[in-house]
Amino acid sequence: MSYINYSRRNGNKIALVDCNSFYVSCERLFNPKIEKKPVVVLSNNDGCVISRSKEAKAIGIKMGEPYFKVKHLVKKNKIEVFSSNYALYGDLSRRVMKVLKTFSPQVEIYSIDEAFIDLSFMDEKGVEEYGKEIREKVLKWVGIPTSVGIASTKTLSKVANHIAKKERNGVMYLNKNIDLILKNFPIEDVWGVGKQLSKFYKKNDIKTAYDLKNASSTWVKKGTNVLGAKTAMELREVPCINLQIDQEKRKNCCVSRSFGRKVDNINELEEAVITHCLNAAEKIRADSQVAKTITVFIRTSPFDKNKRYYSNSRTLDFPIATSNSIEMIKQAVKALNDIYKYDYKYQKAGVILSNLKDSKNNQENLLTPLLEDKSKTLMKAIDYTNTKYGRYAISIAQAGLSKGWKMRREHSSKIDTASFDSLPIIGI
């Protein structure tokens, strides 16, 4: 369906497309055998549950639950468990968003698994069918199931999406019986209403979205903030929160990880910092940015009462703003050596690139052509190779090979979309 004649003459219509149990769906895409089984995906170092299939939800697995607390349920109910694979999830997310942009010129990527789409060019009669078409195309082209909620405002589209998840066709156009639906919609589930704010509302006898809709705008603004007042207005079908089509470039880039085991020597700590540095540099190059400042930080576990706690950081400036991994590593290693202390067992290390600028608008000096021109070609070749053949296809020797400090991922599916070995095998 064409959206060339884009206009708002048909009224405001915003769709929220949300990938269902996204991390679980990504794992199922490459492992059809777990399609109908209960599945959970764990956070960094296999700490907490961050994604659940509907079968796992039915068993009683809660979001954010520490894994060690639900191990008995996992074993008893034969739940499939996976360590997080963010490279896989990020790649499939980009594919989903690319498909969504074929349906409208106005798309706001809200999170890794959600996007708002402006469908104001659609006639009233065709809206729900268009939502079904969106859902079917994403499933066919990427393999990820979605729910589509459509309404006149972003806040109401969030409400519609909650309902869509329970609908058989996965689509809900909220254009009638709105008050009836809002009366049964808990205040804590309203977009923009967090845990503390919901307590405040309940204390003042506002228990549902309908109650907030009919509350005094002056009282809401005085008791909360401007965003709270906008939320109430949006529940009244008055658009107040615009789509953020042009994503602002990041002002800083942080890459950090907790170690799979405690690190007690400078060599492994250096490997970790260099690896984080390579990842951060790759990210800012993808956004056509350069960094003027780098910060390296390390710390021991704040929860280990039997050990001395140590945390420190060091910030250094580059001679000229750069995205050159090699130059960054030199400064990162220097910063690490300045703050490293012996006889400590470190739990976490990280790198922050700050004072980021657009590489096209970066002010250069006389040294820039000598220092940067050759490196740009090298960095471009490295990024191209790693994109095509998988991260770390080309790396720096200092980053090490074994990486014994890496995050604990005992349940990793090891799926890599850049590897043919990860493709599902169809039996003949």
Side-chain angles (χ1 to χ4, degrees), residues 115-139:
F116 289 102
I117 307 178
D118 195 335
L119 301 181
S120 300
F121 57 88
M122 289 294 303
D123 290 326
E124 192 76 14
K125 293 180 180 179
V127 174
E128 191 166 343
E129 285 301 316
Y130 202 57
K132 292 177 184 177
E133 189 180 331
I134 292 172
R135 190 169 185 267
E136 290 167 3
K137 192 171 182 179
V138 172
L139 184 61

mmCIF file with all atom_site columns, all heavy atoms in Angstrom, residues 115-139:
data_model
loop_
_atom_site.group_PDB
_atom_site.id
_atom_site.type_symbol
_atom_site.label_atom_id
_atom_site.label_alt_id
_atom_site.label_comp_id
_atom_site.label_asym_id
_atom_site.label_entity_id
_atom_site.label_seq_id
_atom_site.pdbx_PDB_ins_code
_atom_site.Cartn_x
_atom_site.Cartn_y
_atom_site.Cartn_z
_atom_site.occupancy
_atom_site.B_iso_or_equiv
_atom_site.pdbx_formal_charge
_atom_site.auth_seq_id
_atom_site.auth_comp_id
_atom_site.auth_asym_id
_atom_site.auth_atom_id
_atom_site.pdbx_PDB_model_num
ATOM 1   N N   . ALA A 1 115 ? 8.524   0.542   18.111 1.00 0.00 ? 115 ALA A N   1
ATOM 2   C CA  . ALA A 1 115 ? 8.590   1.719   17.241 1.00 0.00 ? 115 ALA A CA  1
ATOM 3   C C   . ALA A 1 115 ? 7.198   2.316   17.081 1.00 0.00 ? 115 ALA A C   1
ATOM 4   O O   . ALA A 1 115 ? 6.200   1.593   16.995 1.00 0.00 ? 115 ALA A O   1
ATOM 5   C CB  . ALA A 1 115 ? 9.159   1.348   15.876 1.00 0.00 ? 115 ALA A CB  1
ATOM 6   N N   . PHE A 1 116 ? 7.140   3.643   17.068 1.00 0.00 ? 116 PHE A N   1
ATOM 7   C CA  . PHE A 1 116 ? 5.904   4.360   16.771 1.00 0.00 ? 116 PHE A CA  1
ATOM 8   C C   . PHE A 1 116 ? 5.895   4.691   15.280 1.00 0.00 ? 116 PHE A C   1
ATOM 9   O O   . PHE A 1 116 ? 6.917   5.098   14.721 1.00 0.00 ? 116 PHE A O   1
ATOM 10  C CB  . PHE A 1 116 ? 5.815   5.657   17.568 1.00 0.00 ? 116 PHE A CB  1
ATOM 11  C CG  . PHE A 1 116 ? 5.587   5.466   19.048 1.00 0.00 ? 116 PHE A CG  1
ATOM 12  C CD1 . PHE A 1 116 ? 6.637   5.599   19.948 1.00 0.00 ? 116 PHE A CD1 1
ATOM 13  C CD2 . PHE A 1 116 ? 4.324   5.175   19.538 1.00 0.00 ? 116 PHE A CD2 1
ATOM 14  C CE1 . PHE A 1 116 ? 6.439   5.433   21.306 1.00 0.00 ? 116 PHE A CE1 1
ATOM 15  C CE2 . PHE A 1 116 ? 4.104   5.012   20.896 1.00 0.00 ? 116 PHE A CE2 1
ATOM 16  C CZ  . PHE A 1 116 ? 5.166   5.139   21.790 1.00 0.00 ? 116 PHE A CZ  1
ATOM 17  N N   . ILE A 1 117 ? 4.726   4.529   14.646 1.00 0.00 ? 117 ILE A N   1
ATOM 18  C CA  . ILE A 1 117 ? 4.586   4.829   13.221 1.00 0.00 ? 117 ILE A CA  1
ATOM 19  C C   . ILE A 1 117 ? 3.399   5.771   13.027 1.00 0.00 ? 117 ILE A C   1
ATOM 20  O O   . ILE A 1 117 ? 2.310   5.521   13.545 1.00 0.00 ? 117 ILE A O   1
ATOM 21  C CB  . ILE A 1 117 ? 4.343   3.558   12.384 1.00 0.00 ? 117 ILE A CB  1
ATOM 22  C CG1 . ILE A 1 117 ? 5.414   2.511   12.664 1.00 0.00 ? 117 ILE A CG1 1
ATOM 23  C CG2 . ILE A 1 117 ? 4.302   3.886   10.910 1.00 0.00 ? 117 ILE A CG2 1
ATOM 24  C CD1 . ILE A 1 117 ? 5.200   1.215   11.904 1.00 0.00 ? 117 ILE A CD1 1
ATOM 25  N N   . ASP A 1 118 ? 3.607   6.848   12.297 1.00 0.00 ? 118 ASP A N   1
ATOM 26  C CA  . ASP A 1 118 ? 2.519   7.773   11.992 1.00 0.00 ? 118 ASP A CA  1
ATOM 27  C C   . ASP A 1 118 ? 1.729   7.240   10.802 1.00 0.00 ? 118 ASP A C   1
ATOM 28  O O   . ASP A 1 118 ? 2.253   7.101   9.701  1.00 0.00 ? 118 ASP A O   1
ATOM 29  C CB  . ASP A 1 118 ? 3.088   9.157   11.677 1.00 0.00 ? 118 ASP A CB  1
ATOM 30  C CG  . ASP A 1 118 ? 2.016   10.236  11.722 1.00 0.00 ? 118 ASP A CG  1
ATOM 31  O OD1 . ASP A 1 118 ? 0.836   9.894   11.516 1.00 0.00 ? 118 ASP A OD1 1
ATOM 32  O OD2 . ASP A 1 118 ? 2.352   11.406  11.975 1.00 0.00 ? 118 ASP A OD2 1
ATOM 33  N N   . LEU A 1 119 ? 0.454   6.931   11.041 1.00 0.00 ? 119 LEU A N   1
ATOM 34  C CA  . LEU A 1 119 ? -0.424  6.421   9.985  1.00 0.00 ? 119 LEU A CA  1
ATOM 35  C C   . LEU A 1 119 ? -1.540  7.411   9.670  1.00 0.00 ? 119 LEU A C   1
ATOM 36  O O   . LEU A 1 119 ? -2.626  7.027   9.214  1.00 0.00 ? 119 LEU A O   1
ATOM 37  C CB  . LEU A 1 119 ? -1.044  5.079   10.411 1.00 0.00 ? 119 LEU A CB  1
ATOM 38  C CG  . LEU A 1 119 ? -0.076  3.938   10.733 1.00 0.00 ? 119 LEU A CG  1
ATOM 39  C CD1 . LEU A 1 119 ? -0.847  2.682   11.100 1.00 0.00 ? 119 LEU A CD1 1
ATOM 40  C CD2 . LEU A 1 119 ? 0.860   3.661   9.560  1.00 0.00 ? 119 LEU A CD2 1
ATOM 41  N N   . SER A 1 120 ? -1.268  8.693   9.888  1.00 0.00 ? 120 SER A N   1
ATOM 42  C CA  . SER A 1 120 ? -2.304  9.719   9.690  1.00 0.00 ? 120 SER A CA  1
ATOM 43  C C   . SER A 1 120 ? -2.748  9.848   8.237  1.00 0.00 ? 120 SER A C   1
ATOM 44  O O   . SER A 1 120 ? -3.781  10.447  7.954  1.00 0.00 ? 120 SER A O   1
ATOM 45  C CB  . SER A 1 120 ? -1.796  11.073  10.198 1.00 0.00 ? 120 SER A CB  1
ATOM 46  O OG  . SER A 1 120 ? -1.475  10.997  11.568 1.00 0.00 ? 120 SER A OG  1
ATOM 47  N N   . PHE A 1 121 ? -1.984  9.286   7.308  1.00 0.00 ? 121 PHE A N   1
ATOM 48  C CA  . PHE A 1 121 ? -2.359  9.331   5.890  1.00 0.00 ? 121 PHE A CA  1
ATOM 49  C C   . PHE A 1 121 ? -3.432  8.295   5.555  1.00 0.00 ? 121 PHE A C   1
ATOM 50  O O   . PHE A 1 121 ? -4.011  8.316   4.478  1.00 0.00 ? 121 PHE A O   1
ATOM 51  C CB  . PHE A 1 121 ? -1.127  9.078   5.011  1.00 0.00 ? 121 PHE A CB  1
ATOM 52  C CG  . PHE A 1 121 ? -0.449  7.764   5.303  1.00 0.00 ? 121 PHE A CG  1
ATOM 53  C CD1 . PHE A 1 121 ? -0.842  6.607   4.657  1.00 0.00 ? 121 PHE A CD1 1
ATOM 54  C CD2 . PHE A 1 121 ? 0.577   7.697   6.228  1.00 0.00 ? 121 PHE A CD2 1
ATOM 55  C CE1 . PHE A 1 121 ? -0.227  5.406   4.924  1.00 0.00 ? 121 PHE A CE1 1
ATOM 56  C CE2 . PHE A 1 121 ? 1.206   6.490   6.504  1.00 0.00 ? 121 PHE A CE2 1
ATOM 57  C CZ  . PHE A 1 121 ? 0.804   5.344   5.857  1.00 0.00 ? 121 PHE A CZ  1
ATOM 58  N N   . MET A 1 122 ? -3.728  7.388   6.507  1.00 0.00 ? 122 MET A N   1
ATOM 59  C CA  . MET A 1 122 ? -4.663  6.303   6.254  1.00 0.00 ? 122 MET A CA  1
ATOM 60  C C   . MET A 1 122 ? -6.116  6.734   6.413  1.00 0.00 ? 122 MET A C   1
ATOM 61  O O   . MET A 1 122 ? -6.443  7.555   7.274  1.00 0.00 ? 122 MET A O   1
ATOM 62  C CB  . MET A 1 122 ? -4.402  5.151   7.229  1.00 0.00 ? 122 MET A CB  1
ATOM 63  C CG  . MET A 1 122 ? -3.118  4.381   6.985  1.00 0.00 ? 122 MET A CG  1
ATOM 64  S SD  . MET A 1 122 ? -3.155  3.477   5.422  1.00 0.00 ? 122 MET A SD  1
ATOM 65  C CE  . MET A 1 122 ? -4.618  2.474   5.633  1.00 0.00 ? 122 MET A CE  1
ATOM 66  N N   . ASP A 1 123 ? -6.987  6.182   5.563  1.00 0.00 ? 123 ASP A N   1
ATOM 67  C CA  . ASP A 1 123 ? -8.423  6.341   5.750  1.00 0.00 ? 123 ASP A CA  1
ATOM 68  C C   . ASP A 1 123 ? -8.857  5.523   6.954  1.00 0.00 ? 123 ASP A C   1
ATOM 69  O O   . ASP A 1 123 ? -8.245  4.495   7.276  1.00 0.00 ? 123 ASP A O   1
ATOM 70  C CB  . ASP A 1 123 ? -9.188  5.868   4.511  1.00 0.00 ? 123 ASP A CB  1
ATOM 71  C CG  . ASP A 1 123 ? -8.985  6.806   3.321  1.00 0.00 ? 123 ASP A CG  1
ATOM 72  O OD1 . ASP A 1 123 ? -8.849  8.015   3.561  1.00 0.00 ? 123 ASP A OD1 1
ATOM 73  O OD2 . ASP A 1 123 ? -8.957  6.314   2.175  1.00 0.00 ? 123 ASP A OD2 1
ATOM 74  N N   . GLU A 1 124 ? -9.936  5.953   7.588  1.00 0.00 ? 124 GLU A N   1
ATOM 75  C CA  . GLU A 1 124 ? -10.432 5.291   8.793  1.00 0.00 ? 124 GLU A CA  1
ATOM 76  C C   . GLU A 1 124 ? -10.693 3.801   8.578  1.00 0.00 ? 124 GLU A C   1
ATOM 77  O O   . GLU A 1 124 ? -10.352 2.968   9.409  1.00 0.00 ? 124 GLU A O   1
ATOM 78  C CB  . GLU A 1 124 ? -11.724 5.985   9.258  1.00 0.00 ? 124 GLU A CB  1
ATOM 79  C CG  . GLU A 1 124 ? -12.187 5.590   10.645 1.00 0.00 ? 124 GLU A CG  1
ATOM 80  C CD  . GLU A 1 124 ? -11.376 6.220   11.757 1.00 0.00 ? 124 GLU A CD  1
ATOM 81  O OE1 . GLU A 1 124 ? -10.626 7.173   11.478 1.00 0.00 ? 124 GLU A OE1 1
ATOM 82  O OE2 . GLU A 1 124 ? -11.477 5.747   12.891 1.00 0.00 ? 124 GLU A OE2 1
ATOM 83  N N   . LYS A 1 125 ? -11.269 3.467   7.455  1.00 0.00 ? 125 LYS A N   1
ATOM 84  C CA  . LYS A 1 125 ? -11.691 2.085   7.202  1.00 0.00 ? 125 LYS A CA  1
ATOM 85  C C   . LYS A 1 125 ? -10.519 1.124   7.044  1.00 0.00 ? 125 LYS A C   1
ATOM 86  O O   . LYS A 1 125 ? -10.626 -0.058  7.362  1.00 0.00 ? 125 LYS A O   1
ATOM 87  C CB  . LYS A 1 125 ? -12.583 2.027   5.960  1.00 0.00 ? 125 LYS A CB  1
ATOM 88  C CG  . LYS A 1 125 ? -13.933 2.725   6.137  1.00 0.00 ? 125 LYS A CG  1
ATOM 89  C CD  . LYS A 1 125 ? -14.754 2.613   4.863  1.00 0.00 ? 125 LYS A CD  1
ATOM 90  C CE  . LYS A 1 125 ? -16.100 3.311   5.022  1.00 0.00 ? 125 LYS A CE  1
ATOM 91  N NZ  . LYS A 1 125 ? -16.914 3.243   3.781  1.00 0.00 ? 125 LYS A NZ  1
ATOM 92  N N   . GLY A 1 126 ? -9.408  1.626   6.541  1.00 0.00 ? 126 GLY A N   1
ATOM 93  C CA  . GLY A 1 126 ? -8.304  0.717   6.237  1.00 0.00 ? 126 GLY A CA  1
ATOM 94  C C   . GLY A 1 126 ? -7.245  0.596   7.298  1.00 0.00 ? 126 GLY A C   1
ATOM 95  O O   . GLY A 1 126 ? -6.263  -0.133  7.113  1.00 0.00 ? 126 GLY A O   1
ATOM 96  N N   . VAL A 1 127 ? -7.433  1.285   8.423  1.00 0.00 ? 127 VAL A N   1
ATOM 97  C CA  . VAL A 1 127 ? -6.384  1.342   9.435  1.00 0.00 ? 127 VAL A CA  1
ATOM 98  C C   . VAL A 1 127 ? -6.069  -0.036  10.027 1.00 0.00 ? 127 VAL A C   1
ATOM 99  O O   . VAL A 1 127 ? -4.910  -0.454  10.096 1.00 0.00 ? 127 VAL A O   1
ATOM 100 C CB  . VAL A 1 127 ? -6.753  2.323   10.573 1.00 0.00 ? 127 VAL A CB  1
ATOM 101 C CG1 . VAL A 1 127 ? -5.725  2.260   11.684 1.00 0.00 ? 127 VAL A CG1 1
ATOM 102 C CG2 . VAL A 1 127 ? -6.829  3.736   10.031 1.00 0.00 ? 127 VAL A CG2 1
ATOM 103 N N   . GLU A 1 128 ? -7.097  -0.739  10.468 1.00 0.00 ? 128 GLU A N   1
ATOM 104 C CA  . GLU A 1 128 ? -6.864  -2.032  11.115 1.00 0.00 ? 128 GLU A CA  1
ATOM 105 C C   . GLU A 1 128 ? -6.255  -3.040  10.148 1.00 0.00 ? 128 GLU A C   1
ATOM 106 O O   . GLU A 1 128 ? -5.356  -3.812  10.521 1.00 0.00 ? 128 GLU A O   1
ATOM 107 C CB  . GLU A 1 128 ? -8.175  -2.577  11.696 1.00 0.00 ? 128 GLU A CB  1
ATOM 108 C CG  . GLU A 1 128 ? -7.947  -3.780  12.600 1.00 0.00 ? 128 GLU A CG  1
ATOM 109 C CD  . GLU A 1 128 ? -9.163  -4.116  13.441 1.00 0.00 ? 128 GLU A CD  1
ATOM 110 O OE1 . GLU A 1 128 ? -10.062 -3.252  13.572 1.00 0.00 ? 128 GLU A OE1 1
ATOM 111 O OE2 . GLU A 1 128 ? -9.221  -5.240  13.957 1.00 0.00 ? 128 GLU A OE2 1
ATOM 112 N N   . GLU A 1 129 ? -6.711  -3.023  8.903  1.00 0.00 ? 129 GLU A N   1
ATOM 113 C CA  . GLU A 1 129 ? -6.149  -3.929  7.897  1.00 0.00 ? 129 GLU A CA  1
ATOM 114 C C   . GLU A 1 129 ? -4.678  -3.603  7.635  1.00 0.00 ? 129 GLU A C   1
ATOM 115 O O   . GLU A 1 129 ? -3.865  -4.495  7.398  1.00 0.00 ? 129 GLU A O   1
ATOM 116 C CB  . GLU A 1 129 ? -6.951  -3.846  6.597  1.00 0.00 ? 129 GLU A CB  1
ATOM 117 C CG  . GLU A 1 129 ? -8.303  -4.543  6.665  1.00 0.00 ? 129 GLU A CG  1
ATOM 118 C CD  . GLU A 1 129 ? -8.188  -6.021  6.995  1.00 0.00 ? 129 GLU A CD  1
ATOM 119 O OE1 . GLU A 1 129 ? -7.308  -6.687  6.405  1.00 0.00 ? 129 GLU A OE1 1
ATOM 120 O OE2 . GLU A 1 129 ? -8.962  -6.500  7.841  1.00 0.00 ? 129 GLU A OE2 1
ATOM 121 N N   . TYR A 1 130 ? -4.358  -2.298  7.676  1.00 0.00 ? 130 TYR A N   1
ATOM 122 C CA  . TYR A 1 130 ? -2.971  -1.877  7.474  1.00 0.00 ? 130 TYR A CA  1
ATOM 123 C C   . TYR A 1 130 ? -2.103  -2.383  8.621  1.00 0.00 ? 130 TYR A C   1
ATOM 124 O O   . TYR A 1 130 ? -0.954  -2.789  8.427  1.00 0.00 ? 130 TYR A O   1
ATOM 125 C CB  . TYR A 1 130 ? -2.909  -0.353  7.376  1.00 0.00 ? 130 TYR A CB  1
ATOM 126 C CG  . TYR A 1 130 ? -1.683  0.185   6.669  1.00 0.00 ? 130 TYR A CG  1
ATOM 127 C CD1 . TYR A 1 130 ? -1.375  -0.194  5.373  1.00 0.00 ? 130 TYR A CD1 1
ATOM 128 C CD2 . TYR A 1 130 ? -0.837  1.097   7.310  1.00 0.00 ? 130 TYR A CD2 1
ATOM 129 C CE1 . TYR A 1 130 ? -0.249  0.310   4.717  1.00 0.00 ? 130 TYR A CE1 1
ATOM 130 C CE2 . TYR A 1 130 ? 0.280   1.612   6.662  1.00 0.00 ? 130 TYR A CE2 1
ATOM 131 C CZ  . TYR A 1 130 ? 0.577   1.212   5.366  1.00 0.00 ? 130 TYR A CZ  1
ATOM 132 O OH  . TYR A 1 130 ? 1.680   1.718   4.732  1.00 0.00 ? 130 TYR A OH  1
ATOM 133 N N   . GLY A 1 131 ? -2.673  -2.357  9.836  1.00 0.00 ? 131 GLY A N   1
ATOM 134 C CA  . GLY A 1 131 ? -1.966  -2.898  10.996 1.00 0.00 ? 131 GLY A CA  1
ATOM 135 C C   . GLY A 1 131 ? -1.679  -4.374  10.830 1.00 0.00 ? 131 GLY A C   1
ATOM 136 O O   . GLY A 1 131 ? -0.588  -4.854  11.162 1.00 0.00 ? 131 GLY A O   1
ATOM 137 N N   . LYS A 1 132 ? -2.642  -5.119  10.309 1.00 0.00 ? 132 LYS A N   1
ATOM 138 C CA  . LYS A 1 132 ? -2.448  -6.548  10.055 1.00 0.00 ? 132 LYS A CA  1
ATOM 139 C C   . LYS A 1 132 ? -1.361  -6.768  9.009  1.00 0.00 ? 132 LYS A C   1
ATOM 140 O O   . LYS A 1 132 ? -0.560  -7.699  9.101  1.00 0.00 ? 132 LYS A O   1
ATOM 141 C CB  . LYS A 1 132 ? -3.758  -7.179  9.591  1.00 0.00 ? 132 LYS A CB  1
ATOM 142 C CG  . LYS A 1 132 ? -4.840  -7.243  10.662 1.00 0.00 ? 132 LYS A CG  1
ATOM 143 C CD  . LYS A 1 132 ? -6.125  -7.825  10.097 1.00 0.00 ? 132 LYS A CD  1
ATOM 144 C CE  . LYS A 1 132 ? -7.237  -7.809  11.131 1.00 0.00 ? 132 LYS A CE  1
ATOM 145 N NZ  . LYS A 1 132 ? -8.520  -8.316  10.579 1.00 0.00 ? 132 LYS A NZ  1
ATOM 146 N N   . GLU A 1 133 ? -1.347  -5.901  7.999  1.00 0.00 ? 133 GLU A N   1
ATOM 147 C CA  . GLU A 1 133 ? -0.346  -6.008  6.933  1.00 0.00 ? 133 GLU A CA  1
ATOM 148 C C   . GLU A 1 133 ? 1.058   -5.772  7.493  1.00 0.00 ? 133 GLU A C   1
ATOM 149 O O   . GLU A 1 133 ? 2.015   -6.457  7.103  1.00 0.00 ? 133 GLU A O   1
ATOM 150 C CB  . GLU A 1 133 ? -0.655  -4.982  5.837  1.00 0.00 ? 133 GLU A CB  1
ATOM 151 C CG  . GLU A 1 133 ? 0.189   -5.154  4.586  1.00 0.00 ? 133 GLU A CG  1
ATOM 152 C CD  . GLU A 1 133 ? -0.142  -4.132  3.520  1.00 0.00 ? 133 GLU A CD  1
ATOM 153 O OE1 . GLU A 1 133 ? -1.308  -3.678  3.468  1.00 0.00 ? 133 GLU A OE1 1
ATOM 154 O OE2 . GLU A 1 133 ? 0.765   -3.784  2.735  1.00 0.00 ? 133 GLU A OE2 1
ATOM 155 N N   . ILE A 1 134 ? 1.169   -4.798  8.408  1.00 0.00 ? 134 ILE A N   1
ATOM 156 C CA  . ILE A 1 134 ? 2.461   -4.530  9.055  1.00 0.00 ? 134 ILE A CA  1
ATOM 157 C C   . ILE A 1 134 ? 2.939   -5.775  9.797  1.00 0.00 ? 134 ILE A C   1
ATOM 158 O O   . ILE A 1 134 ? 4.087   -6.214  9.652  1.00 0.00 ? 134 ILE A O   1
ATOM 159 C CB  . ILE A 1 134 ? 2.342   -3.345  10.047 1.00 0.00 ? 134 ILE A CB  1
ATOM 160 C CG1 . ILE A 1 134 ? 2.104   -2.036  9.290  1.00 0.00 ? 134 ILE A CG1 1
ATOM 161 C CG2 . ILE A 1 134 ? 3.594   -3.241  10.908 1.00 0.00 ? 134 ILE A CG2 1
ATOM 162 C CD1 . ILE A 1 134 ? 1.773   -0.854  10.190 1.00 0.00 ? 134 ILE A CD1 1
ATOM 163 N N   . ARG A 1 135 ? 2.047   -6.333  10.578 1.00 0.00 ? 135 ARG A N   1
ATOM 164 C CA  . ARG A 1 135 ? 2.380   -7.509  11.385 1.00 0.00 ? 135 ARG A CA  1
ATOM 165 C C   . ARG A 1 135 ? 2.788   -8.696  10.514 1.00 0.00 ? 135 ARG A C   1
ATOM 166 O O   . ARG A 1 135 ? 3.772   -9.390  10.796 1.00 0.00 ? 135 ARG A O   1
ATOM 167 C CB  . ARG A 1 135 ? 1.173   -7.867  12.248 1.00 0.00 ? 135 ARG A CB  1
ATOM 168 C CG  . ARG A 1 135 ? 1.425   -8.909  13.318 1.00 0.00 ? 135 ARG A CG  1
ATOM 169 C CD  . ARG A 1 135 ? 0.244   -8.998  14.273 1.00 0.00 ? 135 ARG A CD  1
ATOM 170 N NE  . ARG A 1 135 ? 0.561   -9.914  15.353 1.00 0.00 ? 135 ARG A NE  1
ATOM 171 C CZ  . ARG A 1 135 ? 0.258   -11.208 15.334 1.00 0.00 ? 135 ARG A CZ  1
ATOM 172 N NH1 . ARG A 1 135 ? -0.371  -11.721 14.293 1.00 0.00 ? 135 ARG A NH1 1
ATOM 173 N NH2 . ARG A 1 135 ? 0.577   -11.984 16.357 1.00 0.00 ? 135 ARG A NH2 1
ATOM 174 N N   . GLU A 1 136 ? 2.029   -8.934  9.451  1.00 0.00 ? 136 GLU A N   1
ATOM 175 C CA  . GLU A 1 136 ? 2.302   -10.062 8.567  1.00 0.00 ? 136 GLU A CA  1
ATOM 176 C C   . GLU A 1 136 ? 3.628   -9.911  7.826  1.00 0.00 ? 136 GLU A C   1
ATOM 177 O O   . GLU A 1 136 ? 4.364   -10.878 7.643  1.00 0.00 ? 136 GLU A O   1
ATOM 178 C CB  . GLU A 1 136 ? 1.155   -10.218 7.563  1.00 0.00 ? 136 GLU A CB  1
ATOM 179 C CG  . GLU A 1 136 ? -0.143  -10.718 8.203  1.00 0.00 ? 136 GLU A CG  1
ATOM 180 C CD  . GLU A 1 136 ? -1.345  -10.572 7.292  1.00 0.00 ? 136 GLU A CD  1
ATOM 181 O OE1 . GLU A 1 136 ? -1.148  -10.125 6.121  1.00 0.00 ? 136 GLU A OE1 1
ATOM 182 O OE2 . GLU A 1 136 ? -2.462  -10.883 7.722  1.00 0.00 ? 136 GLU A OE2 1
ATOM 183 N N   . LYS A 1 137 ? 3.937   -8.672  7.422  1.00 0.00 ? 137 LYS A N   1
ATOM 184 C CA  . LYS A 1 137 ? 5.168   -8.446  6.656  1.00 0.00 ? 137 LYS A CA  1
ATOM 185 C C   . LYS A 1 137 ? 6.405   -8.609  7.532  1.00 0.00 ? 137 LYS A C   1
ATOM 186 O O   . LYS A 1 137 ? 7.404   -9.196  7.101  1.00 0.00 ? 137 LYS A O   1
ATOM 187 C CB  . LYS A 1 137 ? 5.146   -7.037  6.039  1.00 0.00 ? 137 LYS A CB  1
ATOM 188 C CG  . LYS A 1 137 ? 6.236   -6.809  5.005  1.00 0.00 ? 137 LYS A CG  1
ATOM 189 C CD  . LYS A 1 137 ? 6.007   -5.487  4.285  1.00 0.00 ? 137 LYS A CD  1
ATOM 190 C CE  . LYS A 1 137 ? 7.043   -5.241  3.210  1.00 0.00 ? 137 LYS A CE  1
ATOM 191 N NZ  . LYS A 1 137 ? 6.812   -3.966  2.487  1.00 0.00 ? 137 LYS A NZ  1
ATOM 192 N N   . VAL A 1 138 ? 6.342   -8.110  8.769  1.00 0.00 ? 138 VAL A N   1
ATOM 193 C CA  . VAL A 1 138 ? 7.475   -8.266  9.685  1.00 0.00 ? 138 VAL A CA  1
ATOM 194 C C   . VAL A 1 138 ? 7.701   -9.745  9.978  1.00 0.00 ? 138 VAL A C   1
ATOM 195 O O   . VAL A 1 138 ? 8.837   -10.224 10.006 1.00 0.00 ? 138 VAL A O   1
ATOM 196 C CB  . VAL A 1 138 ? 7.242   -7.488  11.006 1.00 0.00 ? 138 VAL A CB  1
ATOM 197 C CG1 . VAL A 1 138 ? 8.331   -7.819  12.023 1.00 0.00 ? 138 VAL A CG1 1
ATOM 198 C CG2 . VAL A 1 138 ? 7.218   -5.990  10.743 1.00 0.00 ? 138 VAL A CG2 1
ATOM 199 N N   . LEU A 1 139 ? 6.617   -10.478 10.184 1.00 0.00 ? 139 LEU A N   1
ATOM 200 C CA  . LEU A 1 139 ? 6.734   -11.914 10.471 1.00 0.00 ? 139 LEU A CA  1
ATOM 201 C C   . LEU A 1 139 ? 7.300   -12.672 9.275  1.00 0.00 ? 139 LEU A C   1
ATOM 202 O O   . LEU A 1 139 ? 8.153   -13.552 9.428  1.00 0.00 ? 139 LEU A O   1
ATOM 203 C CB  . LEU A 1 139 ? 5.356   -12.478 10.850 1.00 0.00 ? 139 LEU A CB  1
ATOM 204 C CG  . LEU A 1 139 ? 5.320   -13.948 11.277 1.00 0.00 ? 139 LEU A CG  1
ATOM 205 C CD1 . LEU A 1 139 ? 6.172   -14.169 12.521 1.00 0.00 ? 139 LEU A CD1 1
ATOM 206 C CD2 . LEU A 1 139 ? 3.886   -14.408 11.526 1.00 0.00 ? 139 LEU A CD2 1
#
